[in-house]
Amino acid sequence: MDWNFATAEGLAAALRAGEVTSAELTDEAIARIERDDKAINAICVPDFERARAAARDADQARARGEDRPLLGIPVTVKESYDIAGLPTTWGMPPHRDFVPAEDAVQVSRLKAAGAVVLGKTNVPLGLQDIQTFNEIYGTTNNPWDHRRTSGGSSGGSAAALASGFGALSIGSDLAGSLRTPAHFCGIYAHKPTLGLAASRGMVPPPGPALPVEHDLAVVGPMARTARDLTLLLDVMAGPDPQTHGVAYHLTLPPARHERLRDFRVLVLDEHPIIPTGSAVRAGVGRVADALVAGGARVERHSPLLPDLTEAAMLYRQLLFSGSVARFPVEAYEQLQARAAALSADDQSVDAAMLRGLVFSHRDWLEAHNRRELHRRGWRQLFAEFDAVVCPITPTPAFPHDHHPDPRQRRIDIDGAEYPYFDQLVWAGLPTMPGLPATAVPAGRSPEGLPVGVQLIGPMFEDRTPLRLAELLEREIGGFQAPK
């Protein structure tokens, strides 16, 4: 039997039943990577010998009667996580030789749960792109069409899962970096509530692995089924033992509902800043139809929804305000001059980005206060609805575009061109207030490319969108392996 596309849940059951060993699963996964990854380039740092040793240890542990959540299951890890003895570069050439001495907290949790780490997956330069390519490891291709991107910045992990390279992966998300690759590659991913999963050891090299909570950014699970997302989130979730974990234990509330017909869902497919392409609009429509057919209450509009334009501008400001801390003084002063020259009437997305780049602390606090007003608005909305369904990006995976100046890139939406970074508005919708969002497959485009949507849920009620994802998987299908 070919185990490479089996679910993590299925593998765990087979391992418990003695139908297969971890050593066999690991050898099969390594053989598939060695056979197929030359064309995909998802696994940038293989760790096969240690993986084989970990698999043997897992089999011995099971023989002793141990049973942990991921015992013996092959997985991959995004390159940006520290793994002792392996390079952590974030795709940045000056740090190609940086090797951390200890594992990131999430890598430690994977290993404690019994997972077998096959290696690290590719990332864009500094994790700052919607594509995955860098000078050290090259370009990761979409398994469905090698001429197209797998997404970013967790594009290597998404491509690995779609290609059968391990059953699970862990990534991170600041600007859709879990959800966009999932959407482009036809898999599942979950952006947890901000602060739900500790991120220590997911830090740019050569910085120390400090227990710092980063604004907007989260770490989260990627899988080929919704149930596997929940399995991995349960391993990842919880405070850092060096900070809040000293005093707090996590208890997530159960999903609000177990049956599709009990869900109240707001469906969105239009944004005032950028149009939604026909393929993605059709994917949203398929999900909406499945919800209606399953008896869910579905609405297309609500006065409770926070203003989408203001949310996008605020997200852009908060996103970029933290990116200039290490800029040279001269470069920062140039940005200040450009921002000062903006017209007060210029309320474009680019202007919001430029103003955010030169925020003072006073400016940031004001923006944060406006974010809290949006959070209040979302709490009011989630008193009436259980989830929001909307796009992740306006299009399926687009062709590779490595223009060195991203401001010169364009995104093609049904034949019309739009600024490259404007496609982030949908990803930013749950990111700015820190809400959980689950990326789920929603069919194929006319060209046969995967299309996904995101299910946004209430803060710290991550099990609600995850349960809805599981129910939708039954109704409209889920992952399919590329042909």
Side-chain angles (χ1 to χ4, degrees):
M1 177 177 178
D2 182 357
W3 296 99
N4 286 312
F5 285 103
T7 67
E9 187 178 44
L11 292 179
L15 286 163
R16 292 186 186 107
E19 297 173 10
V20 68
T21 66
S22 178
E24 291 169 336
L25 294 179
T26 300
D27 282 341
E28 274 200 30
I30 291 171
R32 188 175 190 91
I33 292 168
E34 291 178 336
R35 186 191 77 190
D36 294 347
D37 198 38
K38 292 180 179 66
I40 304 299
N41 193 34
I43 310 299
C44 62
V45 184
D47 196 21
F48 296 158
E49 291 311 307
R50 292 201 298 185
R52 288 188 170 105
R56 291 192 296 270
D57 290 345
D59 288 332
Q60 292 169 4
R62 193 171 292 281
R64 294 192 300 268
E66 294 184 27
D67 188 13
R68 286 171 267 156
L70 305 180
L71 186 60
I73 296 175
V75 306
T76 60
V77 171
K78 188 175 180 177
E79 199 270 0
S80 49
Y81 286 89
D82 286 349
I83 298 181
L86 298 182
T88 297
T89 71
W90 287 42
M92 299 185 287
H95 302 296
R96 65 171 67 241
D97 297 323
F98 176 72
V99 178
E102 63 182 70
D103 290 341
V105 65
Q106 293 299 341
V107 174
S108 296
R109 287 176 178 176
L110 281 179
K111 292 180 178 179
V116 174
V117 178
L118 297 167
K120 291 182 145 194
T121 59
N122 202 17
V123 296
L125 176 66
L127 314 190
Q128 293 182 341
D129 206 337
I130 310 168
Q131 306 173 73
T132 293
F133 66 96
N134 61 75
E135 292 182 18
I136 301 174
Y137 300 121
T139 300
T140 298
N141 298 315
N142 192 304
W144 291 85
D145 182 346
H146 297 176
R147 299 166 299 177
R148 296 175 183 267
T149 181
S150 61
S153 63
S154 307
S157 287
L161 285 166
S163 301
F165 305 160
L168 302 166
S169 194
I170 58 173
S172 60
D173 195 309
L174 173 66
S177 290
L178 284 161
R179 293 160 288 156
T180 298
H183 158 46
F184 286 175
C185 294
I187 65 158
Y188 289 79
H190 181 69
K191 184 198 89 65
T193 297
L194 182 66
L196 180 64
S199 61
R200 176 166 46 87
M202 226 288 297
V203 59
L210 302 175
V212 177
E213 294 188 6
H214 301 283
D215 191 32
L216 302 175
V218 301
V219 297
M222 307 180 80
R224 288 190 292 266
T225 70
R227 286 177 64 88
D228 280 358
L229 280 185
T230 301
L231 174 69
L232 184 49
L233 181 67
D234 285 346
V235 170
M236 299 182 71
D240 194 314
Q242 293 186 5
T243 54
H244 299 302
V246 174
Y248 303 154
H249 293 282
L250 176 70
T251 304
L252 284 176
R256 290 186 174 186
H257 309 292
E258 287 298 318
R259 302 175 302 181
L260 199 59
R261 64 176 178 266
D262 295 328
F263 276 86
R264 304 162 298 168
V265 183
L266 177 63
V267 176
L268 308 174
D269 64 5
E270 295 181 351
H271 199 286
I273 288 178
I274 194 169
T276 302
S278 56
V280 171
R281 189 184 296 273
V284 175
R286 281 189 288 272
V287 171
D289 290 345
L291 290 167
V292 171
R297 172 193 148 199
V298 175
E299 303 289 344
R300 289 281 188 164
H301 304 279
S302 172
L304 297 173
L305 182 69
D307 183 84
L308 296 183
T309 299
E310 183 182 21
M313 298 300 184
L314 187 54
Y315 168 66
R316 182 70 65 101
Q317 290 174 335
L318 291 167
L319 176 65
F320 285 96
S321 66
S323 65
V324 297
R326 294 180 177 87
F327 273 30
V329 173
E330 298 80 6
Y332 184 69
E333 289 175 344
Q334 291 174 5
L335 290 171
Q336 285 181 311
R338 287 174 52 197
L342 289 171
S343 166
D345 296 332
D346 188 346
Q347 297 299 312
S348 65
V349 177
D350 285 343
M353 177 188 72
L354 185 54
R355 292 186 180 107
L357 283 168
V358 296
F359 261 8
S360 66
H361 187 52
R362 177 188 177 94
D363 293 332
W364 189 92
L365 288 173
E366 172 57 29
H368 178 63
N369 186 62
R370 286 187 284 132
R371 168 167 48 189
E372 289 296 341
L373 293 174
H374 275 257
R375 283 174 172 159
R376 183 176 68 181
W378 282 104
R379 285 193 293 270
Q380 292 170 339
L381 182 139
F382 284 123
E384 296 294 328
F385 295 94
D386 303 305
V388 173
V389 174
C390 66
I392 298 168
T393 72
T395 70
F398 52 85
H400 296 296
D401 182 355
H402 296 178
H403 193 290
D405 184 356
R407 293 173 300 178
Q408 301 302 313
R409 300 178 195 165
R410 293 292 180 267
I411 185 73
D412 183 301
I413 303 177
D414 292 343
E417 292 189 343
Y418 295 86
Y420 182 72
F421 284 120
D422 282 10
Q423 63 185 301
L424 295 180
V425 295
W426 284 114
L429 186 61
T431 301
M432 185 271 288
L435 301 173
T438 306
V440 303
R444 300 284 175 265
S445 74
E447 296 78 24
L449 297 170
V451 171
V453 302
Q454 60 183 333
L455 316 176
I456 303 172
M459 185 171 284
F460 289 107
E461 294 190 50
D462 292 61
R463 296 195 190 284
T464 292
L466 285 166
R467 177 58 178 166
L468 182 56
E470 183 182 339
L471 294 170
L472 285 169
E473 186 175 8
R474 299 175 186 176
E475 296 294 323
I476 62 176
F479 170 80
Q480 296 177 4
K483 304 300 182 183

